[in-house]
Amino acid sequence: MKKIISIVLMLCILTSCQTPQSTETSSQPPAAQAEVSAGAAEAEQAAPEETTQTSAPAEPEAPPEIMDLSSAELSEQVHVDQLGYRLNDVKKAVLAEGDTEFSVVRVSDGAVVFTGTSGDAYTDLASLDTVRVAEFTDVKDEGEYVVATGSGLSYPFTIGDNAYEGLRFALLNMLNYQKCGVEMDLGVWAHEACHAEPALIYGSDGVYKDVSGGWHDAGDYGRYIVPAAQTVADILLGYELSPNPDAEVLDIAWFEIEWMLKMQDEETGGVYHKVSCRSFNALNQMPQDETGELVISPISITATADFAATMAMAARFYPDKKDELLAASVKAYDYAVANQDMPGFRNPSGVSTGEYGDGYNKDELFWAACELYATTGEEKYHEDIKAGNIHSGLGWADMGTFGMAAYLMHAKDFEADDGLLLRMKNKLLGDCQGIMKNYETDPYGTSLGTNYYWGSNMGVGNNAMSLLLYSRTIEETPEYELAALEHMRYLLGRNSISQGYITGFGENAAKNPHHRPSVAVGEAVPGMVVGGPNQSTGDDPTLRSNREGYPPAKCYVDHQDSYASNEITIYWNSPVYFVMAALGL
Ligand code: G3I
Ligand code: 9MR
Ligand code: ZN
């Protein structure tokens, strides 16, 4: 984990920190310098222009200027990736409007290793801040640094190929912290077996079923099929598309798959939507302390189709279990197709835990058909895909892109249909172009435009994932690969509030997630992606009282009670894990 350094006090006057001159012109404008969509704060927006990097000392022998960092102050307006940048990465920071010049300073000795001029001032509509982008790609000496400007110092960061060390594993290992039904040896977060007793089938005449196991969904202890399917698919795809896959993924995912299998009704093939207590328990309880009766909510079509998709996908990853998985998948698929007009899931009376309501099931059915075709090559599934529309999306309510990924990667084993391939390519390309349009006008390297909603960080992860899926399954696209990495930097602190959104990673990472084990213990489990800014501040009282009226990208509060901006979930971690794995980081 990162070395913590504390930075205090005044910044030495930047102008006194001069370095010998030697200039270098970058022909590539930083993303933030790209053209701005029409109609947006025109007066403030500068035309795109090439930026000039003023480089490090030309004569290596000349001793660098030294800045007294001990008498410099941290600025909340100088935004960097608080983990850092690999040696050959593009390196950008986001500065305040007044920061036309900046330096990169080594923490160990205060050496000013680089000075530069930042790009044009630009008003970011998501944060309403006017900012400048600073590029220091040429700094390639390993070390711990800060960016220093007239506003003050950034949080510290590493330049080195180990900048991201530990993050990818922690993102995956988070799922082990969410394990239910078994005793877990997790240091201070250790817990006894929880939620292991049979659960009541809602509406039955006292029928109980064993549905133990699986992962707690989030900051609460419910276990829900729809987000489980997304999470399993994300990490299996991460495994499939990684240049250096993590062997642990298969065991980790299997724990959830085993639980999902228990959630299927043997008789009909339908899959129960979720299992939880009737309501959420107190925030400071460890899992074994939630002892209310467990209730299995009714079967839904979205859960059943997601289950069918996940099991058909899993059949390719677990050859020894292929028959069992495929049988479960086919049974679920047949049920979902036959009952697709059933209304979308709503919490039944008396149950108020996570709903994952979704009145539209065509994307889930599409995903299932694609996975079944990808695994079996049976024409029946191909016909079902051809008969419907192409769908996209990677979030729990919209799963179509998982279907496209399966078809694009595996249909070639059978008789891929050129028309379908083209439609999928165009659909995914259209999504990626929309993402890139936002990305190119976002100083922080993300792509949500001005739309920050509950779980916006999943949107960040999913957008990066879409770009990588396009690049890996259709056509290698270096700009998309770079943009995906830049999205990570937003999550790691290069955002308008310099907030690290992954617990334990970065100097200013979230410390008070809405996560029951973390609250109970008084310390956040590491490696959890929090929900992030949510412009609907009315979604929770703590967010409202702290952030009402703030611009969308700033509607976040690192408070344990803010479930609408600071909860964690398995499916906010998993796309970010995918990105790290696919990038081989
Ligand atoms: O997607 C739209 C967006 O396009 C629109 O601009 C925006 C305007 O408000 O709304 C967006 O929809 C929001 C949606 O999340 C985005 O995924 C809804 O307003 C918002 O209510 C919805 O919140 C969901 C929340 O439960 C409340 O139902 C979250 O997605 C979902 O992740 C969250 O899930 C909870 C579980 O129920 C229980 N466990 C914890 C988990 C995380 O908080
Ligand atoms: O802890 C719950 C969280 O997991 C949910 O996402 C959130 C919204 O459904 O609800 C949280 O529970 C709160 C409940 O809704 C209202 N009373 C306070 C609960 C937090 O302790
Ligand atoms: Zn449990």
Side-chain angles (χ1 to χ4, degrees):
M1 222 161 287
K2 300 284 299 178
K3 187 177 114 197
I4 308 284
I5 66 160
S6 59
I7 297 166
V8 266
L9 312 170
M10 276 172 0
L11 175 69
C12 89
I13 305 207
L14 261 178
T15 47
S16 71
C17 300
Q18 288 162 356
T19 54
Q21 315 71 25
S22 144
T23 54
E24 187 179 293
T25 305
S26 154
S27 57
Q28 184 114 31
Q33 302 291 311
E35 287 191 58
V36 182
S37 54
E42 264 141 27
E44 310 260 5
Q45 286 160 356
E49 191 182 274
E50 292 191 346
T51 42
T52 302
Q53 280 192 41
T54 312
S55 95
E59 297 145 33
E61 306 82 38
E65 290 293 325
I66 300 295
M67 185 181 284
D68 180 8
L69 289 176
S70 71
S71 64
E73 229 166 55
L74 179 77
S75 167
E76 294 284 347
Q77 291 177 292
V78 181
H79 313 291
V80 296
D81 177 333
Q82 292 164 24
L83 285 197
Y85 308 79
R86 290 171 303 171
L87 297 180
N88 291 317
D89 282 349
V90 171
K91 305 178 187 75
K92 290 179 188 168
V94 180
L95 314 180
E97 183 177 10
D99 295 336
T100 51
E101 284 169 9
F102 68 96
S103 302
V104 179
V105 185
R106 191 159 55 213
V107 168
S108 59
D109 58 1
V112 177
V113 301
F114 185 92
T115 60
T117 307
S118 47
D120 296 324
Y122 174 87
T123 298
D124 167 46
L125 296 178
S127 63
L128 297 180
D129 286 340
T130 300
V131 296
R132 294 175 188 271
V133 173
E135 183 165 356
F136 51 100
T137 301
D138 289 347
V139 181
K140 291 186 176 172
D141 286 338
E142 267 181 27
E144 195 87 356
Y145 297 91
V146 290
V147 170
T149 75
S151 308
L153 303 184
S154 71
Y155 284 100
F157 58 88
T158 297
I159 290 183
D161 287 339
N162 61 347
Y164 282 76
E165 204 173 300
L167 175 59
R168 171 172 164 187
F169 176 73
L171 288 164
L172 182 64
N173 197 33
M174 172 269 193
L175 297 171
N176 287 325
Y177 283 87
Q178 297 294 106
K179 272 188 177 178
C180 181
V182 287
E183 185 182 336
M184 292 298 294
D185 179 12
L186 298 166
V188 289
W189 300 281
H191 67 78
E192 297 159 24
C194 52
H195 307 110
E197 72 280 10
L200 174 70
I201 298 183
Y202 186 92
S204 74
D205 194 9
V207 180
Y208 288 79
K209 182 173 163 61
D210 169 32
V211 289
S212 57
W215 304 314
H216 302 134
D217 177 56
D220 65 307
Y221 296 130
R223 287 165 289 148
Y224 314 100
I225 287 290
V226 164
Q230 181 196 333
T231 309
V232 169
D234 282 340
I235 66 172
L236 289 181
L237 279 171
Y239 179 81
E240 191 167 17
L241 291 172
S242 178
N244 53 352
D246 295 311
E248 301 91 329
V249 167
L250 293 180
D251 275 351
I252 291 179
W254 184 254
F255 188 79
E256 187 75 341
I257 292 167
E258 266 189 312
W259 165 73
M260 291 176 78
L261 287 166
K262 293 183 185 176
M263 291 290 284
Q264 183 169 38
D265 173 37
E266 298 84 359
E267 222 178 289
T268 61
V271 177
Y272 296 106
H273 195 75
K274 63 173 183 172
V275 57
S276 67
C277 292
R278 288 185 172 78
S279 56
F280 293 119
N281 60 325
L283 193 59
N284 61 0
Q285 286 183 332
M286 287 300 279
Q288 69 275 14
D289 300 329
E290 188 188 51
T291 52
E293 185 171 50
L294 291 173
V295 178
I296 299 175
S297 283
I299 288 169
S300 74
I301 298 307
T302 51
T304 304
D306 282 345
F307 172 99
T310 309
M311 296 307 147
M313 180 186 195
R316 298 195 299 275
F317 289 82
Y318 304 91
D320 294 354
K321 309 278 185 188
K322 185 173 177 182
D323 293 348
E324 180 194 353
L325 292 165
L326 259 185
S329 172
V330 168
K331 216 169 164 189
Y333 184 74
D334 290 346
Y335 179 94
V337 170
N339 295 283
Q340 59 185 292
D341 294 333
M342 198 191 267
F345 181 83
R346 301 303 307 265
N347 267 334
S349 160
V351 175
S352 60
T353 49
E355 186 166 68
Y356 295 108
D358 177 4
Y360 187 75
N361 60 34
K362 298 286 176 278
D363 51 314
E364 287 83 4
L365 288 164
F366 167 77
W367 178 26
C370 289
E371 295 289 359
L372 277 161
Y373 183 63
T375 302
T376 66
E378 276 180 38
E379 203 43 35
K380 162 180 176 334
Y381 303 116
H382 211 188
E383 290 307 319
D384 285 357
I385 305 169
K386 289 184 208 163
N389 290 324
I390 305 292
H391 298 271
S392 69
L394 291 167
W396 60 264
D398 301 290
M399 304 287 223
T401 298
F402 290 111
M404 290 197 281
Y407 192 87
L408 290 163
M409 284 193 276
H410 302 287
K412 62 179 180 310
D413 301 343
F414 310 109
E415 297 227 347
D417 179 88
D418 287 343
L420 267 182
L421 285 173
L422 187 65
R423 282 160 70 203
M424 289 189 191
K425 177 181 169 173
N426 288 338
K427 181 88 174 169
L428 197 48
L429 181 62
D431 286 356
C432 290
Q433 286 170 338
I435 292 166
M436 290 301 285
K437 193 167 173 232
N438 281 339
Y439 166 74
E440 279 157 9
T441 54
D442 191 300
Y444 301 100
T446 187
S447 55
L448 297 178
T450 56
N451 192 15
Y452 286 69
Y453 42 83
W454 191 324
S456 61
N457 284 338
M458 177 183 82
V460 175
N462 281 349
N463 284 355
M465 182 167 170
S466 291
L467 295 172
L468 289 170
L469 286 174
Y470 183 90
S471 180
R472 304 302 171 87
T473 66
I474 294 177
E475 184 180 15
E476 176 149 10
T477 314
E479 318 81 276
Y480 288 7
E481 302 267 338
L482 171 62
L485 173 60
E486 292 286 293
H487 279 62
M488 287 300 306
R489 305 202 187 286
Y490 165 89
L491 295 176
L492 290 165
R494 195 182 61 192
N495 53 59
S496 67
I497 52 176
S498 282
Q499 179 65 54
Y501 291 122
I502 307 179
T503 56
F505 287 83
E507 180 103 354
N508 194 37
K511 290 180 186 55
N512 307 295
H514 185 85
H515 178 240
R516 284 170 171 72
S518 297
V519 171
V521 167
E523 189 181 342
V525 165
M528 302 189 299
V529 177
V530 298
N534 175 7
Q535 67 218 354
S536 303
T537 51
D539 282 347
D540 85 50
T542 307
L543 185 60
R544 178 170 41 211
S545 61
N546 286 281
R547 294 290 182 269
E548 190 170 14
Y550 278 52
K554 297 190 175 200
C555 292
Y556 167 83
V557 56
D558 183 16
H559 191 296
Q560 65 179 37
D561 293 337
S562 181
Y563 45 82
S565 79
N566 208 31
E567 189 163 0
I568 62 90
T569 72
I570 55 174
Y571 57 95
W572 297 340
N573 260 62
S574 55
V576 182
Y577 170 75
F578 171 91
V579 172
M580 294 288 292
L583 290 174
L585 280 169

